[in-house]
Amino acid sequence: MSQIQERGSTHVYKVNKISKEEMDSMVARCVHEDPPFCSAACPLKLDARAFLEAAAAGNFKKALLLYEKIAPFPLILSAGCEAPCEKKCRLSEIGDGLAIREVERAVARFGEQSRLGMVFRSKKRKSTAVLGSGLFALLLAGELEKKAYPVRVLCEEADEEAYLRAAAPFLDGEAFRLELKRLRGKDIQFEFGCALTPELLEETRGSADVLCASWELTQQLFPGAQSVPELVYCEAERLVSGPSEGVMGAAFAVKKAALTVDRLAQNLDPRNTRGQEGAVDSKLYTDLAEAKELRRVPVGESGYSREEAIREAGRCIRCHCEECLKSCAYLKHYKKHPGLLAKEIYNNTQIIMGDHQLNKPMNACSLCGQCTVVCPNGFDMARVCHLARQNMVSTDKMPLAPHEFALLDMLFSNGEAFLCRPQPGYETCRYVFFPGCQAAAIAPATVKAAYLDLCARFEGGVALMLGCCGAICDWAGRYEMEAQTRDFLDRELAKLGDPTVIAGCPTCLKELSGHEGLKLRGIWDVLLEIGLPAGGHGLDRPAAMHDACGARGDAKTQEAVRELARRLGCELSETPYEGDRAPCCGYGGLTAYANREVAAEMTDKCLERSDAPYISYCMACRDRFARQGRESRHILELVYGTDAGAPPDISEKRRNRLTLKNEVLQEIWLEEAMEKKLDYPLRWTDEARRMMDDRMILVEDVIAVLEDFRESGEAIRDEDGLLVARRRVGNATFWVKFSPEDDGGFLVRRAWSHRMRVEKREG
Amino acid sequence: MAIEKNYYTIDPQGKLSCYKCGVPLVKGKAKFMYLDNGFPVELPVCPVCGFVYVPEELALGKVASVERALEDK
């Protein structure tokens, strides 16, 4: 198999395979959207993080607006609030918790009241009436006014001042004056000096849609009336009323009562859709290392001044979890926390008709698993993206284009470039060396040296298998192809007598561990056991070790490679994000093929950790770092004293694999190699080679076009006299611009391709 | 979604010619097809052998963007 069938149509309507429950449970692991601990502890649900942010910025107007959302009378609440938020402030774990209530008081005192939303606000059609006085009645009247209900207050008091005094006798002079002004500014219709009789209540019931009363009045008019605590509603009396204790108790009861009023005004059962009321638990994670100022700004007798409140609010670290975004270039690129991105990617898999706009992010994840390690809750973006890819494949919605080059490369590795031979003199072997497709592509001399070394030092025969472990199709979500690859490799291994596989690549080791009953070791383990061969040497200056994502969770491998480096005389410098927390180089998950921009950002993320040369134990990492201009060596290059040199382009990678196969066949197995040689000279401009690498056009594709031209003579002559020929190869049409040379050869100048078919149209 | 009819922007002076037939290319009717979708276009075509030319800018520009849009269907 050397071609992959493109899906025949975009008109495919199949159902999905991922269960919503499974996706929901994965998404729920992301705590980014959990409230900060202070807000979670507040039964009134103050957005304390935004409030403190506004206060810290000196924007008291905005801060007051946020505070007024929970408190129609801010000075009353801040005077009597028990501040459960302060007890939960994470700063209290390492220093003084934030004085949130004092900041609230300062904001209530100094903040300018915003008229936003007060002007031209249309009132609701349903009207309300509040009978009696006291804290509950006052706060409820304020809350209902805020919700735009027409509110009538019927009370015994003679005026607003007496009404406020009855409700909040604890307010001092200035606070009382400010709250009285606020009360007078509210659109509440007062009826003072009322005799609160049962007749008045019944009369009011006739004119108001929802009737509310203070608890004292309810008890007086209906002795023994029972209020449902979670509704603050006396069902028999059809009266919104309930007992409340203290300012906090009254404020929370008012929140519940106002919701009951909403439901009653809509003629709904007040138990309906109330959401989560009161304080909640938060699972949010916060990195306390971001805290700068641990000591609280001292509070004077009259509370904070404006400046002091700004300083205190500035100590807030705005609890938020961005552990994964800090370390993952992919999530950073899409500027989304993984819970949201995962939801969107899941929704993307559910689209039957229309654009799958999340295909690109779905295919851009390197599936490296770093997020799972750095996330305090173990969020697994790799699983989300991998499942989504498999799902897209299963419903025939997965585009082939992003992964086709890599998949064809895998077919090449396990086809034309594949080799499986027992050591000469053996029919079956105890071991087989499996260096991995990238090692053969990037450092063929190192592979050969390692194989010869293993042959020389092991008894029982060491076979060689050059091919791909199947990680490519696994990453692409092509599960059927993965199963075929597994069967193919199992059959080849069986021919060798099921030897122990010595893997040269941690990703191969991980991928092959999915084969039932397969005995597996990493070459790093083997080398530690049998000792280093002669000829190896470390770097003469400190280097950074880059851990491969294939070895995540495999401390033994990570340590074995470090020990090898130390024995070679390497001095390893420490870098952030080592071991299990290491980022991916950009090759993993086929990111390098599906989204080069994100892949480049991933490589940069790896390289920003250190200025030193990088030592890695995955050949793809070695290659990507070298391509980015960093001195980069694979541990096996150091062990065998080889240097793979400058990174090869995509065509050289294929040629290296073929050359390695032919070389070992000739030198070790003394077999005649089948090498195709061109019978005409082929030359390239530098620009053409760069262009081909960039556009994923192989030398073989160009040769196919030229062979076709030589046979058919079909080409276009352009305005500069250059020839342009084309040929359909697999799912793409390749175009080559060239000039014929005097010696019968060709100079290739440009190359491009497209996947669409094009043909002449009649009529 | 339709691909622009852009023969005149590709070869305004008619300087392209068919190497095999030795005649200038002319504005001709052609069709792009991808994933069960077809788009009629006008491209430089050899009037003798019917060779349809897809220039580099068109392949990497409009054709590539329509391909991507269809792939995500």
Side-chain angles (χ1 to χ4, degrees), chain A residues 646-695:
Chain A
D649 68 20
I650 52 168
S651 296
E652 286 163 342
K653 280 183 184 173
R654 283 211 176 180
R655 199 184 59 212
N656 283 345
R657 273 176 265 177
L658 270 188
T659 308
L660 174 66
K661 174 183 172 179
N662 290 334
E663 261 182 37
V664 293
L665 274 179
Q666 283 172 343
E667 292 170 19
I668 300 174
W669 284 276
L670 309 175
E671 286 182 25
E672 200 60 43
M674 298 286 286
E675 260 184 282
K676 276 191 283 182
K677 285 232 164 65
L678 289 179
D679 53 3
Y680 54 90
L682 192 51
R683 304 180 185 91
W684 320 82
T685 62
D686 289 345
E687 190 190 14
R689 279 311 279 260
R690 270 199 305 275
M691 190 179 279
M692 286 164 58
D693 197 45
D694 191 44
R695 297 175 180 177

Side-chain angles (χ1 to χ4, degrees), chain A residues 22-212:
Chain A
E22 188 179 7
M23 186 56 77
D24 283 347
S25 76
M26 287 196 276
V27 167
R29 282 180 175 268
C30 178
V31 296
H32 182 90
E33 282 190 334
D34 268 35
F37 302 93
C38 47
S39 296
C42 176
L44 307 177
K45 302 196 186 296
L46 171 69
D47 186 352
R49 185 168 53 190
F51 167 80
L52 289 165
E53 189 173 1
N59 190 347
F60 278 30
K61 189 173 176 179
K62 184 179 173 190
L64 183 59
L65 196 64
L66 287 164
Y67 192 49
E68 281 180 329
K69 279 190 179 172
I70 65 151
F73 297 96
L75 283 162
I76 294 181
L77 182 63
S78 61
C81 176
E82 290 147 27
C85 52
E86 291 184 8
K87 296 183 190 80
K88 293 281 184 167
C89 176
R90 295 294 310 273
L91 286 182
S92 62
E93 293 168 30
I94 50 168
D96 296 336
L98 258 160
I100 303 174
R101 192 177 70 141
E102 289 302 330
V103 177
E104 287 167 359
R105 285 178 66 184
V107 164
R109 268 166 53 213
F110 305 121
E112 184 196 341
Q113 211 180 344
S114 167
R115 304 301 300 168
L116 199 72
M118 311 276 279
V119 197
F120 306 125
R121 203 174 50 155
S122 59
K123 287 277 176 190
K124 287 194 165 82
R125 286 196 188 154
K126 297 290 175 83
S127 62
T128 59
V130 182
L131 276 72
S133 56
L135 197 49
F136 175 80
L138 170 76
L139 295 181
L140 183 56
E143 184 72 19
L144 294 176
E145 191 262 358
K146 190 154 60 81
K147 287 186 167 219
Y149 284 102
V151 187
R152 269 170 75 204
V153 169
L154 298 95
C155 60
E156 290 173 335
E157 284 74 11
D159 55 15
E160 282 102 342
E161 192 173 339
Y163 187 71
L164 181 61
R165 183 73 66 201
F170 47 83
L171 284 183
D172 61 18
E174 194 209 352
F176 188 84
R177 192 179 53 75
L178 286 169
E179 291 299 52
L180 185 58
K181 190 179 161 204
R182 205 185 304 272
L183 176 62
R184 285 185 173 142
K186 287 192 188 295
D187 187 11
I188 297 173
Q189 190 192 334
F190 276 101
E191 290 176 26
F192 296 112
C194 298
L196 300 172
T197 59
E199 292 74 30
L200 179 71
L201 185 127
E202 287 313 316
E203 191 188 317
T204 315
R205 201 189 288 282
S207 58
D209 293 299
V210 186
L211 202 56
C212 316

